[in-house]
Amino acid sequence: MNNIVFINSKKNIHYVCIIIAILQYTYSFSQNRDITDSLGELLKEKDITKAEKSRILNLRAYYFNNVDSALISVKHALTLAKEVKDPILEAEALEELGHVEYRLGNNTSSLEASFNALKIYDSLELKEQIAAIYVQLGSNSISNEDYVSAIKYLKSAHRIQSDLKEDSKLILTKLNLGEIYRLAGKLDSATLYLQETLNRNKSLNSSTVQGYSLGNLGMVLHAQKQFDTAEQHLKEAIAILEPLGDDYSTSVYLAELGQIYAKTSKNNLAESKLLEAYEMAQKSGLKEQVRDFSRNLTDFYKTQNQYDKALQYLEVNRIYQDSLVNKASIQKIEQLKANYEISKRESEICLLNTITTNQRNQMILLAFGVLCISVLALLLFRSNRAIKKVNLHIAEQNTVIEKREQEKALLLKELNHRVKNNLQMISSLLSLQSHQLTGHPAQEALIAGKNRVEALSLVHRKLYQEGAETKIALKEYIEELILGLFHGYNVDFKPKLNIDNSSISIDKAIPLALIINEIVINSLKYAYKNMEAPSLYVQLNKVENHLELDISDNGVGFKEDQVVKKNSFGLKLIQSLIHQLDGSIERFNTTGTHWKIKINTE
């Protein structure tokens, strides 16, 4: 079978001609007429067949700007395609359904529809359609950050397009493969595909393809630290795309160029390009890029010790980050509401169809006995009405419960995000203030306070990344905490870590983090003076209903007279937190200092 519409009458020819005329007219004069309204008028014709109606509904879904309307239209098209048992119509409707669900953000539903369409196309050996489905599956996988699957699907599309010699589609697939390899960190493969795209574009001569290929290749070369070649490619890409009005890509490449200049100590050029990218993103209303570029400017000005400007752009970054998070939350809630209304409408349609079918059956049975049929009809009507009320009530209750749970999860995630942002702001302020107090006795106190705030911030960052969970994975959290301290104190040796892969509640995790923070900082500051081979060993295991924490160093040891003089506040804080956790602590002075701590986890 193949994708051909068979015409059986002059009326059918009439409808097909009207469709073609509308498409041609819309293509030439899209500003004067809305194609969805035109297709809607066709649907009102009485003589239209189910197959033609399915094709029009599917086409109408493609042109709908409103995603909810598109979803209703394409689902109706799919139902009619199944009724007429036309596999090509069904596959086309499933393919469009996959696109609509993807626009709604329902990746699972989109994947299901695309795979079902792929099965039909595969059985009919329609190669061009199969390649298009593989490209759609690749887009879904990129949204899920599943780069392995995205590469697999796009390579399948690449093979088919190569066999069919579809050069224009093939070159775009190569470009996308190069970008996915870059995102996945496979830079050699990314370079290969992007270079091949440039070579093939010599015959196609597309400015857009040339600009994207050069820009993406420049980003790959930047990651490979080939700064001179990367700079050249990025400049060429900007020169092509900026006159085309592609502010999004131009701003991204400008920011990438600025980071190259920063790394090669061309500070004036770095500042100029980063500011140009930032201003372009602001002018074009690119909120995500404004957020990212303001963060780049913050980091740049910090390295230049221009802390007033760093703080200025850090505040911009925080405002745009909060704005984007709130926007995403609102969109999610509105999407849930829209999905509920659509489901409710579909339920009403199904119920009306059921009632119509029952009434038709009743009319047939009337010929055999009016009295019996009347009694059965009455019983059926009452039964259906009762079931309808119960089902509607259950559906409403389930929807309310599901909505509350989703809102609760969103609010909890938003709360953790805001706490994390506030703690990071406090940490940044303490860091900036400590730079102003270089050599002052208060500097050390500010740095200690900053480290404690960052330990708290790390907890809420983990909770924000993991969603609505209230437990923290110990291994990843403790390792990141200790390595961050080593980085902050510019320590040139690595700690030995043996952390159990278990989880504890946030109420236990925060005091535990502060305890580890105090002990490790104490070792880094005082234990390794004039030592040739310093070492630090941290072991944390969960045994039954408690945690066993061992921290030992090979430093100068911990003398009793130092307890009062040097670290009395830190030790008092540790003792207070141990008491809070219903635990115990022991300190041994052998070769260095060894802390042994037990904490109750119940």
Side-chain angles (χ1 to χ4, degrees):
M1 298 178 67
N2 50 31
N3 192 9
I4 298 175
V5 178
F6 292 96
I7 308 298
N8 296 323
S9 68
K10 292 183 179 179
K11 290 183 178 181
N12 288 342
I13 295 174
H14 170 70
Y15 287 124
V16 173
C17 290
I18 291 176
I19 295 171
I20 294 172
I22 289 174
L23 291 175
Q24 293 173 339
Y25 184 81
T26 305
Y27 182 80
S28 302
F29 305 97
S30 57
Q31 299 298 321
N32 299 326
R33 189 169 184 179
D34 187 354
I35 192 170
T36 56
D37 292 339
S38 301
L39 293 171
E41 291 298 322
L42 278 179
L43 292 172
K44 296 178 182 179
E45 294 286 344
K46 294 181 180 180
D47 299 340
I48 191 170
T49 65
K50 287 185 177 181
E52 291 166 343
K53 190 174 182 180
S54 174
R55 197 175 299 279
I56 293 171
L57 284 166
N58 197 38
L59 185 61
R60 198 173 188 223
Y62 175 82
Y63 284 101
F64 263 127
N65 290 325
N66 184 288
V67 186
D68 296 333
S69 300
L71 184 63
I72 294 172
S73 182
V74 75
K75 284 189 174 182
H76 193 184
L78 180 59
T79 301
L80 292 173
K82 289 180 178 179
E83 288 180 7
V84 299
K85 298 180 180 180
D86 187 327
I88 294 180
L89 281 180
E90 184 178 346
E92 289 173 349
L94 285 167
E95 184 179 356
E96 184 60 32
L97 179 60
H99 288 293
V100 175
E101 294 285 10
Y102 180 76
R103 288 166 62 194
L104 281 168
N106 301 329
N107 265 9
T108 302
S109 300
S110 177
L111 283 169
E112 181 182 358
S114 297
F115 275 121
N116 289 334
L118 181 61
K119 290 178 183 177
I120 298 174
Y121 286 143
D122 196 41
S123 66
L124 299 174
E125 298 182 358
L126 299 175
K127 299 297 183 181
E128 184 177 351
Q129 288 82 346
I130 292 172
I133 292 293
Y134 279 134
V135 172
Q136 173 64 16
L137 290 171
S139 298
N140 284 100
S141 300
I142 293 172
S143 298
N144 293 330
E145 297 184 5
D146 182 3
Y147 301 129
V148 174
S149 297
I151 290 170
K152 181 185 73 173
Y153 292 132
L154 283 179
K155 279 192 171 181
S156 298
H158 182 274
R159 285 193 297 270
I160 295 172
Q161 290 164 352
S162 297
D163 294 339
L164 297 176
K165 298 182 179 180
E166 295 180 331
D167 292 339
S168 59
K169 295 179 181 178
L170 183 62
I171 197 170
L172 294 177
T173 302
K174 286 182 179 291
L175 177 60
N176 288 330
L177 275 168
E179 178 62 7
I180 294 170
Y181 274 121
R182 184 186 73 82
L183 294 172
K186 298 180 179 180
L187 302 181
D188 291 338
S189 297
T191 303
L192 180 65
Y193 275 101
L194 291 172
Q195 192 63 55
E196 191 174 343
T197 303
L198 286 171
N199 293 335
R200 284 181 172 269
N201 193 48
K202 291 177 181 178
S203 59
L204 187 63
N205 197 24
S206 168
S207 299
T208 304
V209 171
Q210 187 77 3
Y212 289 159
S213 301
L214 287 169
N216 292 350
L217 185 56
M219 296 172 80
V220 172
L221 293 169
H222 176 195
Q224 294 175 327
K225 298 183 179 180
Q226 299 181 37
F227 298 130
D228 292 339
T229 312
E231 177 186 353
Q232 178 185 350
H233 285 328
L234 288 168
K235 283 182 176 179
E236 291 180 19
I238 293 167
I240 294 171
L241 295 174
E242 189 171 13
L244 298 177
D246 190 345
D247 291 342
Y248 174 85
S249 301
T250 303
S251 64
V252 170
Y253 297 149
L254 281 168
E256 191 81 10
L257 196 57
Q259 293 184 63
I260 292 175
Y261 287 141
K263 290 179 181 177
T264 53
S265 300
K266 299 176 182 177
N267 295 326
N268 290 334
L269 285 173
E271 181 181 19
S272 172
K273 295 303 178 184
L274 289 173
L275 286 173
E276 186 178 353
Y278 173 80
E279 291 167 2
M280 182 177 290
Q282 270 199 327
K283 182 179 178 181
S284 301
L286 304 173
K287 291 188 176 181
E288 292 185 9
Q289 279 59 53
V290 173
R291 176 197 62 191
D292 296 339
F293 300 159
S294 61
R295 186 70 220 185
N296 293 338
L297 284 164
T298 300
D299 295 337
F300 171 76
Y301 284 124
K302 283 176 68 176
T303 61
Q304 302 301 306
N305 296 326
Q306 298 184 41
Y307 298 110
D308 52 344
K309 290 184 178 181
L311 188 59
Q312 173 189 343
Y313 285 103
L314 181 62
E315 179 64 19
V316 173
N317 175 264
R318 184 188 67 80
I319 291 170
Y320 274 86
Q321 177 66 25
D322 288 343
S323 173
L324 289 169
V325 171
N326 290 337
K327 179 181 178 182
S329 300
I330 292 169
Q331 287 176 340
K332 184 66 176 177
I333 293 171
E334 291 301 321
Q335 179 184 320
L336 291 171
K337 291 179 180 178
N339 288 344
Y340 166 70
E341 293 297 330
I342 292 170
S343 299
K344 183 177 179 181
R345 195 177 303 174
E346 289 179 345
S347 298
E348 291 174 352
I349 292 172
C350 292
L351 183 61
L352 288 172
N353 290 336
T354 303
I355 293 174
T356 302
T357 302
N358 291 336
Q359 289 176 345
R360 187 184 301 116
N361 293 336
Q362 291 168 10
M363 291 300 295
I364 294 173
L365 294 175
L366 276 174
F368 300 96
V370 175
L371 182 60
C372 293
I373 293 301
S374 298
V375 174
L376 290 174
L378 180 61
L379 292 174
L380 183 61
F381 174 76
R382 289 181 177 179
S383 175
N384 285 341
R385 186 172 59 181
I387 292 171
K388 178 183 175 183
K389 288 182 179 179
V390 171
N391 288 340
L392 285 175
H393 180 70
I394 292 173
E396 289 172 355
Q397 292 298 317
N398 288 339
T399 301
V400 171
I401 293 170
E402 182 182 1
K403 179 181 175 183
R404 288 178 180 174
E405 288 298 318
Q406 290 168 341
E407 290 177 346
K408 178 182 176 183
L410 287 171
L411 289 173
L412 182 57
K413 187 172 182 181
E414 173 67 10
L415 176 61
N416 284 318
H417 171 67
R418 288 187 178 275
V419 172
K420 177 205 68 164
N421 274 356
N422 291 336
L423 289 173
Q424 285 182 340
M425 178 63 74
I426 294 171
S427 175
S428 298
L429 291 173
L430 289 173
S431 178
L432 291 171
Q433 190 65 43
S434 68
H435 285 293
Q436 300 295 327
L437 296 176
T438 303
H440 195 279
Q443 184 184 26
E444 185 174 342
L446 285 173
I447 293 174
K450 170 182 170 294
N451 289 327
R452 290 168 185 144
V453 170
E454 286 181 345
L456 298 176
S457 174
L458 184 58
V459 172
H460 290 279
R461 192 172 79 213
K462 295 295 181 185
L463 289 172
Y464 173 66
Q465 291 171 348
E466 295 175 10
E469 294 293 332
T470 57
K471 287 186 176 290
I472 297 293
L474 282 174
K475 181 175 177 64
E476 181 182 357
Y477 173 60
I478 299 301
E479 287 181 352
E480 187 171 345
L481 173 65
I482 294 173
L483 292 175
L485 291 173
F486 269 61
H487 176 73
Y489 280 86
N490 295 320
V491 178
D492 57 1
F493 70 93
K494 293 184 179 180
K496 298 179 181 179
L497 306 177
N498 183 13
I499 311 297
D500 187 15
N501 192 17
S502 57
S503 300
I504 59 174
S505 66
I506 185 176
D507 295 331
K508 301 285 184 181
I510 291 177
L512 178 61
L514 291 173
I515 291 169
I516 295 173
N517 183 76
E518 295 298 323
I519 294 175
V520 172
I521 288 178
N522 186 71
S523 294
L524 296 178
K525 289 170 64 177
Y526 304 114
Y528 305 116
K529 292 182 179 179
N530 301 322
M531 291 205 63
E532 294 181 357
S535 68
L536 179 73
Y537 179 72
V538 180
Q539 178 173 311
L540 181 62
N541 295 318
K542 188 171 184 180
V543 181
E544 295 181 353
N545 61 346
H546 65 272
L547 292 173
E548 291 184 356
L549 173 63
D550 288 89
I551 303 177
S552 59
D553 60 53
N554 64 343
V556 297
F558 205 100
K559 298 179 181 179
E560 291 298 327
D561 58 344
Q562 293 176 325
V563 173
V564 177
K565 292 180 180 180
K566 290 188 176 180
N567 202 23
S568 59
F569 176 77
L571 289 175
K572 287 179 182 179
L573 178 60
I574 292 172
Q575 292 290 351
S576 174
L577 293 170
I578 290 292
H579 179 72
Q580 177 183 335
L581 293 171
D582 192 20
S584 63
I585 183 171
E586 296 180 77
R587 176 172 45 81
F588 306 96
N589 288 331
T590 53
T591 302
T593 304
H594 180 195
W595 299 84
K596 192 173 184 65
I597 300 170
K598 287 187 177 180
I599 297 172
N600 187 7
T601 58
E602 293 185 346

